[in-house]
Amino acid sequence: LKKRWMSGKPPTPDELKQIYKGFQDRRGIDGCAMTVDGTHVPWWPDDASVRAYFRNHKGWYSLNILAWVSCFYTFIDAEIGWAARVGDSVMVTYSGMLQRLQNDREAWLGKRGFVVGDGGFSLGAMMLVPYRSPSNKMQKYFNFCISSTLFFVEETFGRWKNRFCQLRDYQYCDQRHMCWIILSMMICHNMCQAFRDDSPADIADADMIPLGKEFMQRRRAACFRTMLVGLQPGLCKRCERKERG
C-alpha cells in the first residue's frame, strides 16, 4: 500500500500546478510545493533508563514525528520514531526527504517552488520561513501568510489523529512496533483522503457526541470498511485474497 499511497515519488508537472494552486488559494503564497512541521504521538517507553529522553516539553512521553505534507492534507513523507526531546531542525537534517530534495529539487518543487516551514527550520533557498522579529506591517503580514499556509500541516495532523484515536493515548509496545503502527496509519490516512472518507468536520467535536469514543470508533471502522470494499484485490499480484474470498 505504501508504494501507491505514500510512494516517495515526485509529483508530475500537472500535479505540481494543482499543488501550487491549492496552497496559493489559502493566503496567496505562490510556489509552495509542500509544508513541513512536527507533532508528538503518545508512547510509553519500557526502558526507564532512557525514558527521560522521551518526555516532551508538555510533560508527557511521546515519539516526535516530522511530516512533509501536501495541500491535499496527505503525507508526502515522514520521519518517525525520534525521541521527544529531539528538535524538528535536527530531524530535518537527517530526513530522507531532505536528501531527495537536494538531489533533485526541480522534480519535487519545480523551477520556482519551495517548502514552507516555521522559524525553527533552515534549508536555505528551498525553504520559506517567517521573519524572526518582524519590524513593520509588511513583515507582520508576511508572517501571517506563512502561518496560514503552514496550517495545512497542522490540519493534516488534526484529521489524522481524529481518524485514528489510538494516536491520542499511550501505546504500550516496543518502539519499532510503534513506528510501524504510525506509518501504517499515515498510509491509511492518505487512502481516506483519496476516497474522501469520514469528513473531518463530522469528527472534529468527537468529545461532544453523547456516545463518546466508542461511537466514534465504530463509525470510523464502518467508514473504513466501506472504503476497503471498493479496492481491487487484483492490484497485488502476489495476493491470494480472491481465493480466500
Side-chain angles (χ1 to χ4, degrees):
L1 291 176
K2 186 177 185 299
K3 291 181 179 179
R4 179 174 180 182
W5 301 106
M6 199 172 167
S7 65
K9 296 179 180 179
T12 64
D14 289 339
E15 290 172 340
L16 198 55
K17 290 179 181 178
Q18 294 178 15
I19 293 171
Y20 284 164
K21 186 178 186 304
F23 282 119
Q24 186 179 13
D25 288 345
R26 172 64 62 86
R27 199 58 67 178
I29 293 182
D30 185 24
C32 178
M34 62 180 75
T35 56
V36 60
D37 204 358
T39 188
H40 290 266
V41 173
W43 177 70
W44 183 265
D46 289 332
D47 190 348
S49 64
V50 299
R51 194 170 294 159
Y53 295 104
F54 292 90
R55 185 171 183 174
N56 59 42
H57 63 284
K58 294 182 179 180
W60 43 278
Y61 299 95
S62 62
L63 293 177
N64 206 352
I65 313 298
L66 181 80
W68 308 75
V69 171
S70 78
C71 65
F72 305 116
Y73 306 103
T74 56
F75 295 105
I76 299 171
D77 197 64
E79 290 294 311
I80 303 170
W82 288 78
R85 291 197 173 186
V86 177
D88 292 349
S89 59
V90 175
M91 290 192 290
V92 166
T93 303
Y94 293 96
S95 170
M97 187 70 233
L98 176 60
Q99 297 299 320
R100 290 193 287 274
L101 289 174
Q102 292 174 337
N103 293 337
D104 197 352
R105 175 181 173 178
E106 188 171 328
W108 283 96
L109 306 180
K111 292 182 179 180
R112 60 187 179 88
F114 48 81
V115 181
V116 169
D118 63 26
F121 296 108
S122 179
L123 299 182
M126 73 171 65
M127 174 165 277
L128 196 65
V129 298
Y131 289 99
R132 291 185 181 273
S133 300
S135 58
N136 55 56
K137 290 183 178 180
M138 290 299 294
Q139 291 181 355
K140 291 179 180 179
Y141 181 72
F142 175 82
N143 281 8
F144 169 70
C145 293
I146 290 292
S147 178
S148 295
T149 304
L150 190 60
F151 202 66
F152 271 100
V153 70
E154 302 298 339
E155 288 182 76
T156 302
F157 287 142
R159 294 177 182 224
W160 178 50
K161 292 179 180 180
N162 277 336
R163 282 196 169 105
F164 304 101
C165 58
Q166 296 89 342
L167 296 168
R168 300 178 181 180
D169 300 321
Y170 279 124
Q171 302 299 316
Y172 299 90
C173 58
D174 63 80
Q175 187 176 0
R176 182 180 177 84
H177 188 194
M178 188 62 194
C179 290
W180 280 113
I181 291 173
I182 293 171
L183 177 60
S184 299
M185 290 181 177
M186 285 183 165
I187 295 169
C188 290
H189 167 82
N190 285 358
M191 293 171 63
C192 290
Q193 285 297 119
F195 284 90
R196 299 182 180 180
D197 174 73
D198 211 352
S199 170
D202 294 337
I203 62 178
D205 298 323
D207 293 338
M208 299 179 67
I209 296 175
L211 294 178
K213 285 188 176 181
E214 184 179 353
F215 171 80
M216 294 305 299
Q217 289 172 350
R218 292 201 307 269
R219 180 173 180 270
R220 294 190 193 108
C223 292
F224 195 60
R225 284 197 300 270
T226 302
M227 182 196 71
L228 291 177
V229 168
L231 292 177
Q232 301 269 342
L235 290 176
C236 179
K237 295 181 179 180
R238 298 182 179 179
C239 187
E240 298 179 356
R241 281 174 291 181
K242 286 183 176 179
E243 288 73 11
R244 295 176 182 175

